[in-house]
Amino acid sequence: MAYVPEKATRTQWEAIQHALGFNLADVAGLVGPALSAAWLWTAGEPLQPRETPVRWLGRMTDSVGLSDR
């Protein structure tokens, strides 16, 4: 088959997405529910978290060393 420039990959991101077999928009759509589930799972009592999501995220970033303190 001859090389067709119109069908060539336009960007490196598209090449990575094609090689891995997923779309970055699909992955971004899963990040919100995954963070919500992690917050509910680790923030205290089931379905009654003791921390707000913002405080929980701050505590998680502190625990892995990503804070500015």
Side-chain angles (χ1 to χ4, degrees), residues 37-61:
W39 170 60
L40 286 172
W41 186 264
T42 62
E45 299 294 322
L47 300 179
Q48 288 185 326
R50 294 184 200 126
E51 296 178 306
T52 64
V54 174
R55 287 186 186 261
W56 174 81
L57 189 58
R59 184 172 55 85
M60 288 294 121
T61 56

Side-chain angles (χ1 to χ4, degrees), residues 6-29:
E6 294 85 53
K7 292 185 178 180
T9 303
R10 287 179 243 145
T11 66
Q12 291 179 353
W13 282 112
E14 288 177 358
I16 292 169
Q17 291 178 63
H18 182 71
L20 296 177
F22 65 84
N23 188 347
L24 291 178
D26 296 337
V27 173

